[in-house]
Amino acid sequence: MAAQAAAAAQAAAAQAAQAEAAESWYLALLGFAEHFRTSSPPKIRLCVHCLQAVFPFKPPQRIEARTHLQLGSVLYHHTKNSEQARSHLEKAIPQFEDVKFEAASLLSELYCQENSVDAAKPLLRKAIQISQQTPYWHCRLLFQLAQLHTLEKDLVSACDLLGVGAEYARVVGSEYTRALFLLSKGMLLLMERKLQEVHPLLTLCGQIVENWQGNPIQKESLRVFFLVLQVTHYLDAGQVKSVKPCLKQLQQCIQTISTLHDDEILPSNPADLFHWLPKEHMCVLVYLVTVMHSMQAGYLEKAQKYTDKALMQLEKLKMLDCSPILSSFQVILLEHIIMCRLVTGHKATALQEISQVCQLCQQSPRLFSNHAAQLHTLLGLYCVSVNCMDNAEAQFTTALRLTNHQELWAFIVTNLASVYIREGNRHQELYSLLERINPDHSFPVSSHCLRAAAFYVRGLFSFFQGRYNEAKRFLRETLKMSNAEDLNRLTACSLVLLGHIFYVLGNHRESNNMVVPAMQLASKIPDMSVQLWSSALLRGMQLSLLDQASHVSLVQGSVTAAASCTDLNKACGNAIDAHEAAQMHQNFSQQLLQDHIEACSLPEHNLITWTDGPPPVQFQAQNGPNTSLASLL
């Protein structure tokens, strides 16, 4: 017995020594592989060699499966050898639970990258079915499949999956992740414009967020997510004034997060091992929605200030982080700052920034697909600003063909109508457009701002038709709606046009009462074109400005009608003011003229002819401006 015991002890000791030796070589190879992967620059070839060296030792199945996963991950993330990456991941999937779900997640990403979405979906569905006893992976795979459906524009399926995830999170006792699922579903419902479903869902989310007691950063990030949805909902509805309390709360919330330190303690519930966005990304997002608000409200200097801050932070983040969401943030910020440039009379800079958006879209087909309509819309606005009306029409028509977003569609149609008004010979097309955006009857979108803009276009058209009483009715409706939500640019445009109407009707004093506040408001924005036409009206220029009334696009808030043969200051006995207005008008004219010449001379000006396919890579230099400058003088 003693001999048997001794032999057994020796055998156990030998097995332990063998296991220890096996663990030693495995850990050594793993350590070398990680060292090479994290070197600067990374030495991926050596990392792969170290991991491949594990297999000749014929390791236990669990180590073999984990090594296949690690090799697949390294090859997927750091090389273009997708075939080998796929092979290793497929070998890891049939193995142990802690390996198969991660392998399925990575493999589905690889399939999507190769445009094999039909292969990714069943893989994720199967993994979801067998992962219900593993809360972290079950939730993660649900999020991943929902995101895949979202990218395919199948928002109904995505919402269904997020609803399943929210219920599962509730069952496993994770109110935090339940809130993440519900907020994600709310975001998609907002995209679908299912407002009747959004309101009760956001109310429930607000209650969950307030009642949840947990990691302070996680709690504040939920609050940021919730407030971002509220703010964007208001902005989509064009309610610039109503959104201010929510926007203020959001800005305070992000300040609170920036003062909190990351807690290294992991949550006790594995279903809570998620976060919405890194703190740095949330800061950029809050800058972005602040820019969106400032742009709609007409606080353009504020919009430019926050855009500069956000772009500076983005550049720092992109040095260390290649997340696609950062490029999306950058494009949206540029889209807004481009509109600011066009309003403030910096067309050349706007054109160069449009070119920058093109370059970003060239790097990502998905980014181009999501922003092609907006890019053509921006080019249309630029074309209007430099008097290329045929090109503007082509750009807006292309944008309409590429979008199915209702608000963007209404925005484009409104601007296209202003182009037809300016051209003066497109009556059939114009009447058709005006009927589709009739603010008095079944306006196609719920946006307060766009409906006010539609009233303005109606007023502008009536003005050109000489139906002044009808024009006044439409413009007063625009003013009423603009004042209700602090839409400063529409207010300024409406006041200028009303001022001209009163002049035509012989009421010089009332005309002056309209134009002076319009000038002051335009100076505050600042809107260069409104200032130009206001100063012309005040100066008393003996010009016919009817052709210039729709010179600038609605997005700029500058589709203004100036006066013909006006002499308001002289009529009101203000000769000194008339002289000052004349000087202002000359200054504004010179600034706009110089900017016009510079913009049309840039090689990027050729972008106005691009209406099909991906953005052009190169631009040929212009010989000089080829557009009419008459309306700027």
Side-chain angles (χ1 to χ4, degrees):
M1 292 291 292
Q4 289 178 347
Q10 286 178 349
Q15 287 179 353
Q18 186 179 5
E20 184 177 351
E23 185 178 347
S24 297
W25 64 256
Y26 173 65
L27 292 177
L29 286 172
L30 199 62
F32 277 124
E34 184 64 9
H35 167 73
F36 291 131
R37 188 186 70 83
T38 57
S39 296
S40 182
K43 300 175 182 177
I44 299 303
R45 185 173 61 85
L46 294 176
C47 171
V48 169
H49 285 173
C50 288
L51 291 172
Q52 288 174 332
V54 171
F55 298 122
F57 286 93
K58 301 204 179 296
Q61 285 187 336
R62 184 177 293 275
I63 289 180
E64 183 178 352
R66 172 61 63 179
T67 304
H68 279 302
L69 172 61
Q70 290 164 330
L71 271 167
S73 178
V74 169
L75 291 167
Y76 170 62
H77 288 113
H78 298 283
T79 75
K80 295 182 180 179
N81 197 337
S82 58
E83 187 174 342
Q84 281 195 30
R86 181 170 60 253
S87 174
H88 283 292
L89 292 172
E90 287 172 347
K91 290 175 182 176
I93 282 181
Q95 304 299 325
F96 303 90
E97 280 192 357
D98 60 337
V99 173
K100 67 169 61 176
F101 300 134
E102 186 174 355
S105 176
L106 274 175
L107 187 56
S108 68
E109 284 185 28
L110 189 150
Y111 284 152
C112 291
Q113 193 178 71
E114 296 177 337
N115 295 318
S116 301
V117 176
D118 290 338
K121 287 179 184 176
L123 179 63
L124 287 173
R125 289 195 192 101
K126 184 177 179 181
I128 288 169
Q129 288 174 358
I130 63 177
S131 64
Q132 293 191 35
Q133 302 306 314
T134 313
Y136 168 75
W137 277 109
H138 190 66
C139 291
R140 177 167 168 174
L141 292 166
L142 281 167
F143 275 125
Q144 189 170 349
L145 184 54
Q147 183 180 27
L148 181 54
H149 281 298
T150 301
L151 293 174
E152 286 198 308
K153 315 292 186 188
D154 183 3
L155 301 187
V156 174
S157 298
C159 283
D160 289 343
L161 284 165
L162 293 170
V164 170
E167 178 58 21
Y168 177 83
R170 185 191 68 79
V171 170
V172 298
S174 175
E175 287 296 286
Y176 167 75
T177 301
R178 181 189 177 200
L180 278 180
F181 275 114
L182 290 174
L183 288 166
S184 300
K185 183 178 179 180
M187 179 173 64
L188 298 188
L189 290 173
L190 282 173
M191 291 169 63
E192 287 191 288
R193 299 297 181 265
K194 293 185 176 179
L195 301 184
Q196 290 184 342
E197 296 180 48
V198 168
H199 294 149
L201 188 142
L202 287 183
T203 300
L204 174 60
C205 288
Q207 294 170 353
I208 294 173
V209 171
E210 290 307 314
N211 294 332
W212 185 70
Q213 301 299 320
N215 183 305
I217 288 183
Q218 285 183 311
K219 185 178 179 71
E220 291 302 314
S221 71
L222 285 178
R223 186 176 282 122
V224 169
F225 196 171
F226 173 71
L227 289 169
V228 164
L229 292 185
Q230 284 199 314
V231 169
T232 52
H233 177 38
Y234 277 116
L235 292 178
D236 278 348
Q239 296 175 331
V240 175
K241 186 176 182 180
S242 303
V243 76
K244 286 182 179 179
C246 286
L247 182 59
K248 187 175 181 180
Q249 287 182 55
L250 177 59
Q251 291 165 340
Q252 291 171 342
C253 192
I254 200 65
Q255 287 177 353
T256 300
I257 285 184
S258 64
T259 64
L260 297 173
H261 297 288
D262 291 329
D263 192 349
E264 298 296 334
I265 301 174
L266 293 176
S268 57
N269 190 336
D272 286 343
L273 289 169
F274 295 95
H275 65 273
W276 176 47
L277 284 176
K279 284 196 299 185
E280 297 79 11
H281 291 197
M282 282 190 276
C283 288
V284 174
L285 180 58
V286 174
Y287 280 139
L288 175 55
V289 295
T290 302
V291 168
M292 292 167 64
H293 173 261
S294 300
M295 183 69 211
Q296 279 200 34
Y299 305 132
L300 301 192
E301 289 182 344
K302 184 178 179 182
Q304 292 185 40
K305 182 181 79 171
Y306 281 107
T307 298
D308 291 342
K309 287 185 176 182
L311 289 175
M312 191 180 302
Q313 189 159 344
L314 273 173
E315 287 302 317
K316 293 178 182 177
L317 289 173
K318 290 181 79 172
M319 292 178 184
L320 306 171
D321 187 350
C322 58
S323 173
I325 198 172
L326 296 180
S327 294
S328 296
F329 286 164
Q330 187 176 2
V331 167
I332 298 170
L333 282 163
L334 286 170
E335 287 170 353
H336 283 79
I337 198 62
I338 287 163
M339 291 188 283
C340 285
R341 307 284 193 212
L342 293 173
V343 173
T344 56
H346 298 92
K347 295 185 283 290
T349 305
L351 183 58
Q352 291 169 329
E353 288 166 338
I354 290 174
S355 174
Q356 189 178 346
V357 174
C358 288
Q359 292 169 18
L360 288 167
C361 288
Q362 286 167 3
Q363 299 167 16
S364 168
R366 181 173 293 160
L367 196 63
F368 175 64
S369 174
N370 291 336
H371 291 270
Q374 292 92 320
L375 189 49
H376 284 287
T377 303
L378 291 171
L379 280 168
L381 301 174
Y382 167 77
C383 290
V384 173
S385 75
V386 293
N387 248 5
C388 298
M389 292 301 157
D390 289 342
N391 296 106
E393 180 184 354
Q395 292 295 338
F396 288 141
T397 303
T398 301
L400 286 174
R401 174 170 51 83
L402 293 173
T403 189
N404 55 9
H405 187 281
Q406 286 185 322
E407 276 72 15
L408 181 58
W409 177 89
F411 177 83
I412 297 165
V413 168
T414 304
N415 280 284
L416 183 56
S418 75
V419 171
Y420 289 155
I421 290 172
R422 169 164 172 74
E423 290 181 322
N425 58 356
R426 306 296 296 277
H427 300 299
Q428 185 174 353
E429 295 94 333
L430 179 58
Y431 282 120
S432 175
L433 287 182
L434 292 177
E435 188 60 33
R436 297 169 77 184
I437 54 168
N438 188 339
D440 284 323
H441 305 289
S442 62
F443 192 64
V445 295
S446 58
S447 171
H448 183 94
C449 180
L450 285 172
R451 187 163 175 261
F455 273 118
Y456 180 85
V457 170
R458 285 269 173 169
L460 183 65
F461 181 57
S462 297
F463 165 76
F464 271 82
Q465 296 291 308
R467 301 194 300 269
Y468 298 124
N469 287 334
E470 183 180 83
K472 283 194 291 183
R473 181 182 78 80
F474 286 129
L475 292 172
R476 282 169 176 154
E477 194 63 36
T478 304
L479 280 175
K480 177 183 173 182
M481 296 185 71
S482 299
N483 289 332
E485 287 293 343
D486 291 345
L487 304 173
N488 292 326
R489 286 176 293 131
L490 272 175
T491 299
C493 294
S494 302
L495 287 172
V496 172
L497 187 48
L498 275 170
H500 178 65
I501 292 171
F502 281 117
Y503 172 78
V504 170
L505 296 174
N507 191 339
H508 293 172
R509 188 165 297 279
E510 190 63 29
S511 181
N512 192 70
N513 290 340
M514 297 289 110
V515 176
V516 169
M519 183 71 172
Q520 294 169 345
L521 192 54
S523 177
K524 180 181 175 183
I525 290 173
D527 188 321
M528 183 65 74
S529 296
V530 172
Q531 291 181 85
L532 176 68
W533 305 133
S534 298
S535 62
L537 191 65
L538 292 171
R539 186 187 74 160
M541 291 179 64
Q542 300 301 309
L543 295 174
S544 176
L545 301 179
L546 292 180
D547 186 52
Q548 300 162 353
S550 58
H551 170 62
V552 188
S553 64
L554 259 181
V555 62
Q556 301 173 45
S558 306
V559 187
T560 57
S564 62
C565 298
T566 57
D567 201 359
L568 291 177
N569 279 296
K570 291 180 180 178
C572 297
N574 297 326
I576 296 177
D577 289 345
H579 175 74
E580 292 177 354
Q583 187 61 49
M584 282 191 295
H585 182 271
Q586 184 178 358
N587 294 339
F588 295 143
S589 297
Q590 288 300 314
Q591 290 178 43
L592 284 173
L593 181 59
Q594 290 171 8
D595 183 56
H596 182 103
I597 294 171
E598 182 183 353
C600 294
S601 300
L602 291 172
E604 292 85 353
H605 183 75
N606 282 303
L607 275 170
I608 67 174
T609 63
W610 163 60
T611 56
D612 190 37
V617 178
Q618 295 179 337
F619 313 100
Q620 294 181 349
Q622 289 278 329
N623 294 324
N626 57 1
T627 56
S628 169
L629 303 181
S631 64
L632 292 174
L633 300 176

